[in-house]
């Protein structure tokens, strides 16, 4: 077969491990020919391809980012985009496409699948917000980076007896914040799933400090939302998939805490550091398993499906199930575990 591959959406540690695994099994086991499309759906629309083989993939396993490049291009936002995709795939003699991405990239894959394109999906995102898979690769790495940062902030916070607000990514899900907050011993974790009241947060911090000299780490997810009428939050630009650019809520939270408590409060926005660099061993293994399963799915003719992790096993699920609804933080984890350490 001649198999095309693309990586779309925000990059994520582990993408190269998937590419390497697909190429390895496709070439060595199935005798396939592989090509990569540059920059996600943009490369498909513009017919920009590069050959992929085992040699090209040497040394990429521990490398962050994606050797294929990525973009947030949505073919359905371009005039005649989906027809162009189908035409390019035909011109390039592509028998099957492996699309590696989050809900946006896989949403496009699902629509193209319904139009007859032979496509298999691989779920990726540091946000861990994709349904139908217990975890996405990239999440473990992002959590580790955020926890390491929290540990470092702890020692400087203790020395100065300050409140440190750490803003982490995750879009409209608080997975990174919850996991990194639990791992880092946060005094407060603010996530999009649970609207926060800045008065209550400040009061808990005030009482905590009254008990002695306590540095406090407040982890804020970039998508955290204040209770209606309690704070003014500005909205950012939107991308081709209608997603707002998030970031900056940490400053508002810090300002709110400092004004209410009088405690010196500093902000660290981790931003893209969470997506950069080498994937953890966990993510390399998961990404490799997904890659092998994706090329197997291609050869089993399981088009319109995505590979996923369920109960420790790699399974295939319809793309429609994966992109329907985003997976948000389990209230049991937030209230039952994380919240026990607040204040
Ligand atoms: O979806 C991954 C993610 O890193 C989100 O956590 C974040 O909101 C967004 O991408 C940032 O996107 P960009 O790299 O386009 O700024």
């Amino acid at each position: 077969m001649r198999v095309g591959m693309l990586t779309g959406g925000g990059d994520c540690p582990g993408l190269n491990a998937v590419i390497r695994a697909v190429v390895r099994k496709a070439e060595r086991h199935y005798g396939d020919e592989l090509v990569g499309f540059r920059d996600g759906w943009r490369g498909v629309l513009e017919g920009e391809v590069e050959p992929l083989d085992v040699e090209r993939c040497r040394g990429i396993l521990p490398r962050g980012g994606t050797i294929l490049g990525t973009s947030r291009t949505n073919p359905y936002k371009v005039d005649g985009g989906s027809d162009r995709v189908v035409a390019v795939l035909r011109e390039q003699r592509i028998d099957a496409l492996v699309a590696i991405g989050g809900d946006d990239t896989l949403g496009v894959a699902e629509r193209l699948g319904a139009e007859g394109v032979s496509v298999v999906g691989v779920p990726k995102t540091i946000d861990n917000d994709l349904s139908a898979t217990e975890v996405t690769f990239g999440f473990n790495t992002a959590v580790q980076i955020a926890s390491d940062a929290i540990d470092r902030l702890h020692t400087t916070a203790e020395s100065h007896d300050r409140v440190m607000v750490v803003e982490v990514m995750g879009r409209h899900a608080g997975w990174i914040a919850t996991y990194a907050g639990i791992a880092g011993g946060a005094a407060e974790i603010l996530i999009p799933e649970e609207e926060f009241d800045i008065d209550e947060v400040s009061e808990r911090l005030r009482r905590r400090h009254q008990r002695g000299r306590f540095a406090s780490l407040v982890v804020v997810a970039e998508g955290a939302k204040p209770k209606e009428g309690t704070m003014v939050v500005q909205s950012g630009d939107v991308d081709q998939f209608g997603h707002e650019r998030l970031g900056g809520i940490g400053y508002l939270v810090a300002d709110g805490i400092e004004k209410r408590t009088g405690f010196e409060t500093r902000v660290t926005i981790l931003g893209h550091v969470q997506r950069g660099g080498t994937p953890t061993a966990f993510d390399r293994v998961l990404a490799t398993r997904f890659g092998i399963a994706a090329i197997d799915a291609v050869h089993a003719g399981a088009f319109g499906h995505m590979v996923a992790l369920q109960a420790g096993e790699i399974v295939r699920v319809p793309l429609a199930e994966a992109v329907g609804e985003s997976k948000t933080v389990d209230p049991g984890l937030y209230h039952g575990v994380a919240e026990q350490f607040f204040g």
Side-chain angles (χ1 to χ4, degrees):
M1 288 177 95
R2 189 167 147 90
V3 180
M5 193 157 29
L6 64 87
T7 52
D11 75 327
C12 170
L15 285 168
N16 287 327
V18 179
I19 295 169
R20 169 180 172 270
V22 171
V23 169
R24 179 81 181 195
K25 188 153 187 194
E27 186 182 306
R28 296 286 165 90
H29 182 82
Y30 292 112
D32 294 335
E33 195 185 332
L34 274 296
V35 292
F37 287 95
R38 294 292 313 168
D39 304 338
W41 297 113
R42 187 198 68 75
V44 188
L45 280 171
E46 294 173 21
E48 210 179 303
V49 293
E50 62 170 88
L52 280 176
D53 58 16
V54 169
E55 281 313 307
R56 170 76 176 96
C57 294
R58 293 244 180 259
I60 68 171
L61 174 64
R63 258 176 64 189
T66 161
I67 59 164
L68 292 176
T70 187
S71 71
R72 295 198 187 276
T73 302
N74 180 353
Y76 288 97
K77 282 282 151 88
V78 176
D79 263 352
S82 67
D83 291 343
R84 178 86 198 118
V85 165
V86 172
V88 169
L89 293 176
R90 196 171 302 131
E91 272 162 31
Q92 291 290 334
R93 298 174 290 104
I94 301 296
D95 300 306
L97 188 64
V98 175
I100 313 167
D103 52 352
D104 297 334
T105 306
L106 298 178
V108 170
E110 198 244 329
R111 288 177 73 176
L112 288 169
E115 291 179 33
V117 172
S118 299
V119 60
V120 164
V122 178
K124 74 86 227 192
T125 169
I126 62 164
D127 303 337
N128 196 35
D129 59 350
L130 269 176
S131 298
T133 185
E134 274 166 20
V135 69
T136 45
F137 65 86
F139 172 64
N140 184 269
T141 305
V143 168
Q144 192 58 58
I145 293 168
S147 311
D148 290 346
I150 293 169
D151 286 349
R152 287 175 187 281
L153 289 166
H154 247 296
T155 59
T156 167
E158 272 159 12
S159 308
H160 292 265
D161 194 19
R162 283 173 173 157
V163 176
M164 291 283 186
V165 172
V166 190
E167 182 183 302
V168 298
M169 282 186 166
R171 197 157 265 166
H172 301 296
W175 289 106
I176 299 176
T178 304
Y179 268 66
I182 292 173
E188 293 287 333
I189 304 172
L190 311 183
I191 60 172
E193 292 86 341
E194 302 281 336
E195 289 184 353
F196 67 90
D197 184 324
I198 193 70
D199 288 328
E200 289 171 10
V201 170
S202 304
E203 181 52 23
R204 279 196 297 270
L205 290 173
R206 212 180 48 74
R207 274 192 264 120
R208 172 182 159 86
H209 283 243
Q210 266 174 358
R211 295 197 299 269
R213 191 182 156 91
F214 284 108
S216 300
L217 264 290
V218 178
V219 178
V220 183
E222 62 179 358
K225 289 188 211 78
K227 281 193 178 143
E228 214 180 311
T230 56
M231 280 175 122
V232 183
V233 183
Q234 285 181 351
S235 1
D237 300 340
V238 291
D239 66 17
Q240 282 200 349
F241 288 91
H243 295 301
E244 192 187 326
R245 187 179 295 168
L246 297 169
I249 182 82
Y251 286 112
L252 278 181
V253 169
D255 189 53
I257 292 171
E258 196 168 77
K259 282 205 175 101
R260 283 164 180 79
T261 62
F263 302 145
E264 190 177 5
T265 305
R266 298 296 179 91
V267 186
T268 301
I269 298 190
L270 289 181
H272 293 83
V273 167
Q274 293 158 97
R275 270 188 6 211
T278 189
T280 57
F282 178 90
D283 279 338
R284 293 184 206 185
V285 173
L286 181 61
T288 300
R289 291 175 77 194
F290 277 168
I292 298 287
I295 193 66
D296 286 343
V298 164
H299 282 273
F303 299 118
H305 282 70
M306 176 190 95
V307 296
L309 186 77
Q310 289 181 2
E313 299 294 326
I314 307 287
V315 296
R316 294 173 193 152
V317 293
L319 277 167
E321 264 180 41
V323 299
E325 212 180 310
S326 63
K327 183 181 67 188
T328 50
V329 171
D330 169 16
L333 178 69
Y334 186 79
H335 296 293
V337 181
E339 204 177 66
Q340 303 303 314
F341 300 90
F342 289 2

